[in-house]
Amino acid sequence: MSLFDLTGRTALITGSSGGLGFAMARGLAQSGAQIIIHGRNGDKLEAARGILSKEGHHVLTTSFDITDEAAIEQALAALSADGVTIDILVNNAGMQLRRPLLELKRDQWDTVINTNLTSTFLLGRNVARQMIERGKGGKIINIGSLMSSVARPTVGAYTASKGGVRLLTQSMAAEWAEHNIQTNAIGPGYMITEMTQPLVDDPKFNDWIVGRTPSKRWGVPEDLVGTVVYLASPASSYVNGQIIYVDGGMLAVL
Ligand code: GCO
């Protein structure tokens, strides 16, 4: 199954000391990739590194503010100085802010857009520059959401940011595919993570999700592993600008 073998490749996954990012990092490592996990909380990052190292994986760590252009440049320069090249980038780090638009403040809007969308542009651009200079192509996988395509009340900034991630993914594909860089997105459905735990704990919302989802369950982070390995591997060499929804069928039905 060399189509899905990532041996010899290095993957950077942002926001990977827990949740979806950690599950995707572990899955990429299990497929042979050297992984660079990323997070802002040093203790959580070190704990994640310890778990993955104990499982026999080769793990590097990096910590930088994904919204800070200078910090991104410094982090990528440090990795290059250590001889680390990034073959696979997973732009996963993000945030949620549940507020009706009428009550949303400008700085709250900016924070969500910067964290979820602008960061994907900044890191994607800088890693693509390195990939193009190296001339060996690469994989960029942006993490969207169901909200890349549909909306619900109280998550307007998040929805706008994730809709932007979908079209930014297509724009990256439009400009970088000729360099053998495949840029695609994953749209996770309602998955049980720290970010959605308040929704899981809300009996009314929980009942709605289970009823509204054809698979009749919440997703778990491990449900993303197959798709991220596919998009990170030679198996998807002719796939570009797509978003794959991993949502239990929610978007497919009314
Ligand atoms: C919400 C949730 C969703 C999920 C996910 C669904 O408040 O509706 O946070 O946005 O996190 O993005 O795909």
Side-chain angles (χ1 to χ4, degrees):
M1 292 295 277
S2 62
L3 268 181
F4 299 90
D5 183 4
L6 301 179
T7 305
R9 297 168 195 253
T10 298
L12 167 61
I13 307 96
T14 62
S16 47
S17 48
L20 303 184
F22 178 79
M24 289 190 282
R26 177 185 255 165
L28 292 168
Q30 288 167 343
S31 295
Q34 169 180 255
I35 52 171
I36 309 165
I37 56 175
H38 161 274
R40 301 296 307 283
N41 178 313
D43 293 342
K44 279 181 74 177
L45 192 60
E46 181 47 34
R49 192 199 60 74
I51 294 167
L52 294 170
S53 301
K54 280 202 188 83
E55 293 174 357
H57 303 307
H58 189 186
V59 185
L60 303 175
T61 62
T62 183
S63 180
F64 59 91
D65 178 349
I66 56 170
T67 67
D68 179 338
E69 200 163 4
I72 289 171
E73 284 166 7
Q74 281 158 13
L76 293 179
L79 288 166
S80 298
D82 289 344
V84 178
T85 55
I86 298 167
D87 304 295
I88 302 157
L89 170 64
V90 181
N91 281 309
N92 166 73
M95 68 173 287
Q96 177 59 282
L97 179 68
R98 299 182 183 98
R99 289 275 188 304
L101 287 171
L102 290 176
E103 297 163 23
L104 195 64
K105 296 185 177 65
R106 168 61 193 270
D107 65 323
Q108 293 171 325
W109 166 272
D110 288 348
T111 300
V112 174
I113 297 293
N114 282 336
T115 305
N116 294 354
L117 178 57
T118 306
S119 65
T120 295
F121 157 65
L122 292 174
L123 190 53
R125 178 197 63 187
N126 285 29
V127 169
R129 283 175 179 165
Q130 291 182 339
M131 288 176 171
I132 292 167
E133 196 178 315
R134 201 167 59 240
K136 293 188 179 158
K139 296 285 193 172
I140 296 176
I141 301 160
N142 299 322
I143 304 305
S145 159
L146 289 177
M147 276 67 194
S148 293
S149 174
V150 290
R152 79 177 185 91
T154 76
V155 289
Y158 180 92
T159 303
S161 73
K162 291 299 186 177
V165 165
R166 179 163 60 90
L167 269 294
L168 176 60
T169 297
Q170 292 174 230
S171 302
M172 288 174 166
E175 295 190 20
W176 300 340
E178 65 183 276
H179 302 290
N180 191 27
I181 296 172
Q182 288 88 54
T183 308
N184 293 286
I186 299 174
Y190 279 91
M191 307 227 145
I192 300 176
T193 64
E194 218 174 289
M195 184 162 81
T196 59
Q197 195 58 51
L199 305 176
V200 178
D201 297 339
D202 174 339
K204 196 160 159 259
F205 198 97
N206 179 63
D207 288 349
W208 176 71
I209 288 290
V210 174
R212 177 68 179 74
T213 307
S215 300
K216 299 302 173 205
R217 68 172 176 88
W218 286 77
V220 292
E222 290 67 31
D223 284 323
L224 295 182
V225 169
T227 303
V228 77
V229 168
Y230 165 65
L231 289 176
S233 73
S236 58
S237 296
Y238 199 53
V239 179
N240 238 313
Q242 301 304 310
I243 182 165
I244 300 177
Y245 290 101
V246 183
D247 67 351
M250 185 181 264
L251 270 187
V253 298
L254 273 179

